[in-house]
Amino acid sequence: MSVPAFQLDASIGRASAFSATRRQRLRFLSYNIQTGISTGSYRHYLTKSWRQVLPHPERLDNLDRIATMIGDYDMVGLQEVDGGSLRSGFINQIEYLAHEAGFPHWHDQTNRDLGKFARYSIGLLTRFHPSALEEWRLPGRIPGRGALHARFGHGDQALHVVIMHLALGRRGRLNQLAYIAERIQDFRHVVLMGDMNCCSESEEVSLLMRRASLHAPVHGLHTFPSWRPARNIDHIFVSSNLKVHDTRVLMHPLSDHLPLAMEVELPESVSLVRHGN
């Protein structure tokens, strides 16, 4: 079941708990999974559109492949996940992936609930024990966008992880990122990831960078569409005091997006608690 907000661990490669004198490296992954649907061309949006509203056996097979791929990571942020409705066979996809990939902690945030027909969600899978979780409702002319905030640790030495899926329109994204910047501007250690529907050098992202003191370690990593990547709209941004060792797009075309991965080194002062410790 989903971990309550007042509760809430992973070290890279399932290693044991880190000592305070050793810097921790964590592997992050951001992925828009299109509710488990694989797409191989633009025409599939039309010819296979029924899969967006009706169950299909290939969806579960695809989720199993996604689970195998994400199992190597410590924290995974997912977008376009179904929270358990007709189209997913009433399977909470975050819970299913957490179980299949062996993540001890998970949380899903449903931002647009159409009852039994569709539950549009984002989610977090983590091997670390969050100290707190918050669901933020993002501003927008059309409701249904949100951000999930997980805090690991306490005070100035906490790590803050934010997952989001932004609006399609530029004005909406500007408002949403202004809101996010205000919420995180006082946090020292931040990893922000998700499908932002804009490139890393856009006006919207520049606003976020300035106001929240974040940076994009690498520009131009194309993740969409998965069959011929030409746009960098999926991102992982970090605070300037977090050292990034690797950022890459993974060639796993299991959705209409490709997953984006990053390895981040935390300061010695930031200590995360593994499950069971």
Side-chain angles (χ1 to χ4, degrees), residues 151-167:
R151 190 187 81 229
F152 298 86
H154 302 276
D156 288 344
Q157 302 309 320
L159 175 66
H160 298 267
V161 177
V162 181
I163 299 156
M164 63 180 66
H165 189 186
L166 299 184

Side-chain angles (χ1 to χ4, degrees), residues 12 30 44 80 122 129 142 163 176 195 201 213 230 256 264 276:
I12 187 167
S30 181
H44 288 169
E80 285 198 32
I122 58 177
H129 192 290
I142 301 175
I163 299 156
Q176 290 166 357
D195 176 358
E201 296 176 298
S213 299
D256 60 344
V264 177

Side-chain angles (χ1 to χ4, degrees), residues 156-158 160 184 186-190 239-242 269:
D156 288 344
Q157 302 309 320
H160 298 267
I184 69 174
D186 294 327
F187 298 158
R188 291 186 62 192
H189 313 296
V190 178
S239 300
S240 57
N241 57 4
L242 299 180
S269 59

Side-chain angles (χ1 to χ4, degrees), residues 100-259:
E100 294 300 310
F103 285 89
H105 301 292
W106 61 274
H107 187 83
D108 70 310
Q109 175 181 332
T110 297
N111 295 308
R112 187 172 296 150
D113 192 344
L114 303 183
K116 67 179 182 179
F117 298 106
R119 301 186 73 234
Y120 296 88
S121 306
I122 58 177
L124 169 70
L125 310 177
T126 173
R127 303 187 188 285
F128 285 97
H129 192 290
S131 306
L133 283 168
E134 291 182 289
E135 295 185 358
W136 297 341
R137 300 297 172 182
L138 297 179
R141 186 172 55 87
I142 301 175
R145 299 283 181 175
L148 176 60
H149 168 224
R151 190 187 81 229
F152 298 86
H154 302 276
D156 288 344
Q157 302 309 320
L159 175 66
H160 298 267
V161 177
V162 181
I163 299 156
M164 63 180 66
H165 189 186
L166 299 184
L168 294 173
R170 189 177 68 88
R171 180 177 297 180
R173 293 192 299 269
L174 280 167
N175 291 334
Q176 290 166 357
L177 287 179
Y179 170 85
I180 291 293
E182 183 177 358
R183 297 297 300 257
I184 69 174
Q185 62 184 350
D186 294 327
F187 298 158
R188 291 186 62 192
H189 313 296
V190 178
V191 175
L192 186 152
M193 55 184 169
D195 176 358
M196 302 188 191
N197 278 312
C198 57
C199 74
S200 59
E201 296 176 298
S202 65
E203 178 186 0
E204 305 94 287
V205 169
S206 296
L207 177 148
L208 175 71
M209 300 294 103
R210 291 194 309 271
R211 296 188 183 181
S213 299
L214 300 179
H215 76 286
V218 181
H219 293 283
L221 294 177
H222 296 161
T223 57
F224 182 85
S226 59
W227 58 92
R228 191 177 296 170
R231 299 178 62 198
N232 67 321
I233 60 175
D234 299 276
H235 306 291
I236 304 177
F237 301 136
V238 300
S239 300
S240 57
N241 57 4
L242 299 180
K243 186 175 182 179
V244 174
H245 287 274
D246 186 39
T247 306
R248 65 180 62 188
V249 176
L250 306 182
M251 298 310 296
H252 291 274
L254 304 172
S255 165
D256 60 344
H257 290 242
L258 294 174

